[in-house]
Amino acid sequence: MEVRRKERIDRGIKVRSEGIYCVSSPKEMLYVAGPRLLLIAGLLLLPLVLEMAPYWKRVVNIMCVYGLLAISFDFLANVVGLVCLGGAMFIGVGGYMTAIFNVYLHCPVFLAIPLAGLSGALICTVLLLPCLALRGVYFAIVTLMYPLLFTRIIEALNILGGTNGITGLDSFPNPYLENYVIIVLLLIFLFGLRRLMDEDIGLVLRGVKDNDQSVRASGINVAHLKALAVFITSFIGCLGGAYLAHLYMWAGLSLFALDFSIIPIAAVTIGGGGSMMGAVIGTFILVPLSEFLRFFGTFRIVIYCLILTGFIVFRSEGLLTYFARKYDQFERWAKI
Amino acid sequence: MSILSVENVSKTFGGLKALMSVSFSVKQGEIYGIIGPNGSGKTTLINCITGFIKPEAGKVYFRGSNIKGWPAHKIARAGIARTFQVMRPYYSLPAYKNLIIPLWSPRARAIGGWRGGGRHGDRDTVAVDILEEIGFERDSRVPYKMASTLPTGYLKRLELARCIALRPEIIFCDEVFSGLSASEVAGMVPLIEKLKMEGITLIMVEHRLKELFKVADRVMALQFGEKIAEGHYTEVIADPRVKEAYLGSEEV
């Protein structure tokens, strides 16, 4: 019997140079930039394409907020090595901060959001500082606990509007702005974080995940680096939360919902971790899917779970890794 | 003038006395060897001096200031680099990118110059320079390979390269010769001598005594956390307590 095996051969310029190559011709530039341009153009055109379906425009906004959470989770977990389930905390703190700035202090929307991002990130970082020495699942547990803590405090002390939340936040001046603010934010942070990873400081952060002992032996304060990474992550998350509060024109306890912690992880698992791009692809599948499944009523969660399991079982490497392989290599059967 | 002097350093782990009042001092530009059987406290001593564990008692003077109890990164920043016995490269990075991390550190950036690494981008070149110096073939693909794919010989060199990149005054080498073949060790020896020529003080913990004695100016022997002998290697191996520690005593 003839024995054959599948051969994978690198396509185009992605020859076996272990990632180091020179881009020289327009064709090659397009090969490298193509997928990125497709993503940027696709996202920017989405609100225009969905002109006739305002409901889905809303879904795109929420999808982008989850996208922000997913890239920040991916950054912290797969680059720095801190598994953070604090998505809900970032969204909640960001949302409440923007409500304070906007409703109590009368800042306009476009001042309140960045202020909420910065102050929220500061609060989250300070709260997480004592836990930075924890590793793996212990850090995850603490970050999961904080949102619960916030809800209980707000309920018990009846501050910040209590269970009713803070109402009367300003909305965005027009629906296009509403769409594009979050889309542009997502694109900036997606490519910004990827750029950061390629810088020397990005390498140092990856070093912290690989082995922090060597980083310490190199005269670098690991605690400072982790705090910086947590600040970046919570800044991104809080901006998302602030946006969401203005979108709903309301900041309430549901901003601390567990979904904000869990869905980003599912998205990174489906999309493939470590590159941020996988996280975005994951959210772009999961969030619309969840909306689409509303059609099935109570069966929604069952089908959702089945699809999720399917992804994890059949594409455990992550969709992005799979697509990247198909894009960079072709396969053929070779005789042995 | 001694660059590093350790005075009565002690450390216990629960009931185990890992180090009992160990003292020694090292002169600038010297190669100082530390030998001793397994479990005699050699690595613990390095960990105590470099801040990876805190000694319970004693003092560690580096250039006249007591660095005992400083955090590890601060000690490294002061100029004391170390390798790890169990190699700790950044496995997910290519070999030359492993050096970007020490080159990025405040110490290397402050010193700058040939080995300090300059701004972003220059560091890659400096990293490959250091790797070439340490024995990675520049024009081959070895410096660009993932650390996880490198053989032990290169990883040991990479450990040392990571120390050099920090531009240290003292390097603690924790068993850099172990696990290497005789010819690989022969390749490492000139490297060690070259570092000495450049004025770097080396403190080497070693089990490969023959190779260590070739390079070391002075040697200290440890047993059960106690210093039992110190001096030129001929004196140390002639010491009856050292013989006993390595070969066991003859019971009557």
Side-chain angles (χ1 to χ4, degrees):
Chain A
M1 201 187 88
E2 195 182 50
V3 187
R4 295 196 305 168
R5 72 182 174 94
K6 218 177 195 178
E7 242 185 3
R8 288 197 186 127
I9 295 169
D10 284 347
R11 204 197 298 268
I13 60 161
K14 177 96 173 57
V15 283
R16 292 210 176 280
S17 57
E18 283 162 47
I20 301 165
Y21 47 73
C22 214
V23 179
S24 51
S25 70
K27 194 182 157 199
E28 289 177 346
M29 284 182 207
L30 193 68
Y31 176 84
V32 174
R36 293 165 178 80
L37 290 177
L38 199 69
L39 178 80
I40 298 173
L43 254 182
L44 290 178
L45 287 177
L46 211 49
L48 303 178
V49 174
L50 294 174
E51 195 53 63
M52 291 292 104
Y55 175 75
W56 284 95
K57 278 170 87 170
R58 195 96 167 169
V59 173
V60 169
N61 293 340
I62 298 189
M63 183 176 87
C64 288
V65 172
Y66 276 115
L68 281 176
L69 286 175
I71 59 172
S72 61
F73 170 80
D74 194 16
F75 171 70
L76 207 54
N78 291 318
V79 178
V80 194
L82 290 168
V83 179
C84 174
L85 302 182
M89 165 173 161
F90 302 149
I91 291 285
V93 172
Y96 270 98
M97 285 315 288
T98 201
I100 291 170
F101 281 117
N102 186 242
V103 178
Y104 295 165
L105 304 174
H106 309 292
C107 292
V109 179
F110 288 104
L111 184 65
I113 291 180
L115 279 179
L118 281 174
S119 56
L122 211 60
I123 293 172
C124 294
T125 313
V126 168
L127 286 175
L128 289 176
L129 272 186
C131 330
L132 285 182
L134 300 176
R135 274 171 222 227
V137 73
Y138 303 102
F139 185 76
I141 289 170
V142 175
T143 52
L144 195 59
M145 176 208 74
Y146 272 125
L148 302 176
L149 181 83
F150 279 119
T151 24
R152 291 294 174 269
I153 289 179
I154 291 171
E155 265 176 14
L157 301 179
N158 204 17
I159 46 169
L160 299 172
T163 40
N164 292 328
I166 303 172
T167 46
L169 273 78
D170 292 342
S171 65
F172 290 94
N174 71 63
Y176 284 108
L177 219 50
E178 193 178 285
N179 283 139
Y180 281 108
V181 162
I182 194 71
I183 287 175
V184 170
L185 269 182
L186 178 64
L187 287 175
I188 287 175
F189 284 112
L190 171 63
F191 288 102
L193 280 181
R194 281 170 66 91
R195 179 63 196 266
L196 184 78
M197 273 170 64
D198 287 340
E199 293 287 330
D200 286 353
I201 187 165
L203 279 173
V204 179
L205 288 171
R206 279 162 72 182
V208 173
K209 188 197 174 196
D210 242 14
N211 72 69
D212 56 342
Q213 300 269 308
S214 287
V215 178
R216 285 167 69 201
S218 296
I220 295 167
N221 191 336
V222 172
H224 284 179
L225 278 179
K226 282 185 176 171
L228 175 72
V230 167
F231 183 82
I232 294 173
T233 307
S234 43
F235 178 62
I236 298 174
C238 287
L239 280 182
Y243 170 84
L244 211 56
H246 283 288
L247 189 70
Y248 293 151
M249 302 192 314
W250 172 74
L253 291 178
S254 66
L255 288 179
F256 287 111
L258 205 56
D259 295 25
F260 297 115
S261 297
I262 303 302
I263 288 179
I265 305 172
V268 172
T269 315
I270 286 180
S275 64
M276 320 302 157
M277 211 55 106
V280 171
I281 290 176
T283 28
F284 286 9
I285 291 171
L286 272 188
V287 178
L289 180 75
S290 155
E291 287 302 319
F292 181 73
L293 289 178
R294 281 186 196 283
F295 179 70
F296 291 94
T298 15
F299 266 116
R300 174 169 164 245
I301 295 296
V302 177
I303 298 168
Y304 188 72
C305 291
L306 281 178
I307 294 175
L308 208 68
T309 316
F311 271 121
I312 290 164
V313 171
F314 295 108
R315 286 284 164 261
S316 52
E317 56 192 340
L319 280 179
L320 183 81
T321 326
Y322 176 76
F323 287 134
R325 204 177 65 228
K326 291 284 171 207
Y327 189 68
D328 289 334
Q329 304 175 316
F330 61 88
E331 290 166 346
R332 68 176 180 200
W333 288 96
K335 258 190 281 187
I336 306 177
Chain B
M1 172 64 201
S2 62
I3 183 168
L4 180 82
S5 78
V6 175
E7 289 171 15
N8 303 318
V9 164
S10 299
K11 174 78 197 170
T12 54
F13 294 113
L16 177 79
K17 286 178 175 149
L19 288 175
M20 281 185 283
S21 192
V22 175
S23 305
F24 68 98
S25 68
V26 184
K27 288 195 276 289
Q28 172 132 32
E30 189 177 35
I31 298 185
Y32 189 84
I34 300 174
I35 62 168
N38 288 330
S40 58
K42 304 180 298 291
T43 300
T44 309
L45 183 58
I46 292 194
N47 284 339
C48 280
I49 297 170
T50 52
F52 280 82
I53 50 182
K54 303 247 178 297
E56 277 137 20
K59 291 186 171 101
V60 180
Y61 287 101
F62 171 63
R63 289 204 175 287
S65 49
N66 188 0
I67 58 168
K68 189 209 139 190
W70 284 16
H73 66 89
K74 204 176 157 194
I75 292 178
R77 218 174 273 186
I80 301 181
R82 67 165 298 177
T83 71
F84 290 93
Q85 184 178 4
V86 181
M87 295 163 293
R88 294 181 189 272
Y90 306 104
Y91 283 114
S92 67
L93 300 178
Y96 78 110
K97 290 282 185 197
N98 268 257
L99 299 192
I100 300 299
I101 293 163
L103 284 175
W104 184 86
S105 76
R107 177 179 174 84
R109 275 187 294 174
I111 291 173
W114 178 61
R115 273 185 173 163
R119 286 177 46 70
H120 172 70
D122 301 342
R123 285 195 198 111
D124 287 1
T125 332
V126 179
V128 179
D129 285 347
I130 294 174
L131 282 182
E132 188 189 21
E133 188 197 8
I134 206 93
F136 281 61
E137 298 80 4
R138 188 186 193 104
D139 297 321
S140 71
R141 272 157 115 177
V142 189
Y144 307 100
K145 278 201 161 145
M146 284 308 227
S148 52
T149 66
L150 290 175
T152 315
Y154 281 110
L155 287 179
K156 289 275 177 187
R157 285 160 190 271
L158 191 59
E159 277 290 295
L160 209 50
R162 224 187 43 226
C163 292
I164 296 174
L166 192 60
R167 245 196 139 186
E169 295 182 55
I170 300 181
I171 301 180
F172 278 90
C173 302
D174 199 352
E175 302 200 13
V176 283
F177 291 157
S178 66
L180 298 185
S181 69
S183 63
E184 280 173 324
V185 173
M188 288 283 266
V189 168
L191 217 70
I192 301 285
E193 282 168 343
K194 195 174 156 208
L195 289 175
K196 187 192 170 182
M197 294 280 283
E198 287 171 16
I200 296 174
T201 312
L202 284 119
I203 298 172
M204 303 180 69
V205 164
E206 210 43 74
H207 272 302
R208 306 271 291 255
L209 302 184
K210 214 174 82 188
E211 287 87 355
L212 175 70
F213 294 158
K214 260 187 224 162
V215 291
D217 298 303
R218 280 191 308 145
V219 177
M220 166 172 83
L222 279 178
Q223 190 193 12
F224 300 128
E226 267 186 294
K227 183 162 109 173
I228 54 173
E230 187 182 22
H232 190 256
Y233 79 89
T234 46
E235 301 161 28
V236 171
I237 51 174
D239 192 295
R241 294 181 68 190
V242 177
K243 277 186 186 163
E244 194 189 306
Y246 270 91
L247 302 170
S249 63
E250 215 170 331
E251 298 288 329
V252 183

